[in-house]
């Protein structure tokens, strides 16, 4: 209801990993306690209950992500079956889909295959994102998206603005998600205990500072600036498309000029996310990225 009341225009992404006990090691309700049959029943019930409830509230959609990053070897103890989380991913996605859900998974291009027709959104970490992800997701009938893990929200400044704005617009991403507060304590304001960083699994430690006030960060401010960048160019794109058929020759001229500008802007943005580096990792001094100041 809060999501609806505040007018969020995009679907709500929800990851019921604690309920399904699919979390990685070291986090609450980890997969050590996962019971496959019980979790499958619960996943179907979550989908069958909350998908229609979201629709009744007038939300633009509900997307369910049943497991975080079931990557090969990630979060796996040496004594475990190395494929245990991969089996869980396939099972939980199928169960959610059978309950009527739109599904997503934080994944790599390789682990996305675990969806086997049950995965609607590939949400790929910046670190694993390559230009081939978009085409591969579309071939599988899924939406391509990127999430800004510590590589973006963790340390970047101008980096964050670019990847929440011009980049997803230019390369045709269907989604861009934030993930985390910055991970490096010395880059926080003074009200955060430097021993905490994002906190040992405690949300309070990650969002509230030692004075119990929310921790502001330049990364979040610049992510919002990036969203505005994307809105400006998308608005210009829509207006130019509408003006192309205007009976007014001046409007058609301006539409052509806008289209040329947008084409040059898009052509100047590489689909290779790892081509860009906007600041010195040690000093945080801004560097000119290739073609972008």
């Amino acid at each position: 209801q809060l999501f609806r009341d505040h007018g969020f225009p995009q679907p709500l992404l929800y990851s019921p990993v604690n309920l399904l006990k699919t979390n990685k090691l070291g986090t609450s309700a980890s997969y050590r306690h996962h019971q496959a049959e019980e979790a499958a029943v619960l996943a179907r019930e979550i989908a069958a209950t909350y998908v229609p409830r979201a629709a009744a509230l007038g939300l633009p959609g509900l997307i369910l992500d049943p497991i975080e990053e079931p990557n090969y070897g990630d979060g796996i103890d040496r004594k475990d079956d190395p494929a245990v989380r991969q089996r869980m991913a396939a099972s939980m996605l199928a169960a959610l889909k059978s309950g009527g859900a739109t599904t997503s998974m934080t994944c790599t291009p390789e682990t996305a295959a675990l969806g086997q027709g049950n995965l609607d959104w590939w949400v790929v970490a910046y670190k694993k994102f390559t230009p081939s992800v978009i085409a591969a997701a579309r071939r599988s009938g899924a939406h391509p998206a990127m999430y800004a893990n510590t590589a973006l929200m963790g340390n970047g400044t101008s980096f964050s603005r670019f990847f929440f704005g011009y980049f997803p617009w230019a390369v045709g991403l269907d989604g861009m998600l934030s993930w985390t507060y910055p991970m490096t304590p010395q880059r926080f304001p003074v009200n955060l205990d430097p021993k905490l960083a994002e906190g040992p699994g405690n949300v309070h430690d990650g969002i509230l500072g030692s004075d119990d006030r929310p921790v502001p960060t330049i990364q979040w401010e610049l992510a919002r600036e990036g969203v505005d960048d994307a809105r400006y160019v998308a608005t210009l794109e829509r207006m130019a498309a509408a003006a192309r058929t205007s009976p007014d020759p001046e409007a058609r001229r301006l539409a052509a000029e806008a289209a040329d500008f947008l084409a040059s802007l898009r052509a100047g943005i590489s689909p290779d996310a790892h081509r860009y580096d906007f600041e010195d990792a040690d000093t945080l001094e801004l560097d000119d990225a290739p073609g972008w100041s």
Side-chain angles (χ1 to χ4, degrees):
Q1 283 183 306
L2 283 170
F3 202 82
R4 190 263 325 259
D5 293 347
H6 286 279
F8 283 92
Q10 299 299 331
L12 170 64
L13 180 74
Y14 175 51
S15 187
V17 292
N18 284 337
L19 292 173
L20 301 176
K21 298 180 174 61
T22 53
N23 258 327
K24 291 183 283 188
L25 288 174
T27 52
S28 56
S30 81
Y31 71 86
R32 292 280 191 220
H33 309 290
H34 178 81
Q35 299 293 325
E37 292 184 11
E38 177 184 307
V41 172
L42 181 56
R44 281 191 294 272
E45 187 172 346
I46 288 169
T49 301
Y50 285 102
V51 169
R53 174 128 4 138
L57 285 171
L59 293 179
L62 177 66
I63 301 173
L64 294 172
D65 182 346
I67 185 169
E68 300 174 73
E69 302 173 329
N71 305 337
Y72 296 97
D74 187 19
I76 305 298
D77 188 276
R78 282 182 296 178
K79 296 179 181 178
D80 290 339
D81 176 348
V84 60
R85 284 174 54 77
Q86 287 72 52
R87 288 197 301 271
M88 288 163 49
S91 171
M92 293 299 95
L93 285 168
L96 285 177
K97 201 69 178 170
S98 71
T102 297
T103 58
S104 71
M105 187 166 69
T106 46
C107 59
T108 65
E110 293 74 28
T111 58
L114 299 165
Q116 298 178 343
N118 295 315
L119 181 56
D120 299 311
W121 285 82
W122 292 17
V123 186
V124 178
Y126 160 78
K127 288 180 179 178
K128 299 289 186 180
F129 195 90
T130 64
S132 63
V133 166
I134 296 172
R138 296 207 189 284
R139 282 196 301 272
S140 76
H143 294 279
M146 181 195 289
Y147 72 89
N149 53 5
T150 180
L152 285 182
M153 299 310 291
N155 301 316
T157 52
S158 297
F159 209 50
S160 302
R161 177 174 179 173
F162 181 73
F163 280 100
F164 276 87
Y166 291 121
F167 182 82
W169 165 80
V171 304
L173 282 178
D174 289 342
M176 182 69 203
L177 291 82
S178 55
W179 184 263
T180 182
Y181 266 75
M183 304 289 277
T184 309
Q186 63 265 33
R187 293 175 189 174
F188 275 103
V190 295
N191 72 326
L192 189 78
D193 185 331
K195 296 188 295 297
L196 293 178
E198 194 181 35
N202 185 332
V203 173
H204 179 278
D205 292 338
I207 295 175
L208 299 181
S210 56
D211 57 2
D212 278 334
R213 298 180 63 183
V215 176
T217 75
I218 187 99
Q219 288 86 352
W220 285 108
E221 294 294 335
L222 284 164
R224 283 192 284 269
E225 293 286 345
V227 171
D228 280 346
D229 291 338
R231 291 172 67 190
Y232 281 127
V233 291
T235 300
L236 183 59
E237 204 164 35
R238 285 195 298 269
M239 293 176 70
R244 276 200 297 271
T245 58
S246 170
D248 181 356
E250 177 63 7
R252 293 197 302 272
R253 185 191 69 78
L254 289 172
E257 185 179 314
D260 287 344
F261 164 73
L262 290 168
S264 68
L265 182 61
R266 185 174 271 119
I269 296 171
S270 170
D272 180 4
H274 300 277
R275 177 174 181 264
Y276 294 99
D277 184 14
F278 289 96
E279 48 257 324
D280 184 280
D282 296 319
T283 67
L284 298 190
E285 290 298 318
L286 291 179
D287 292 331
D288 283 348
W292 293 84
S293 67

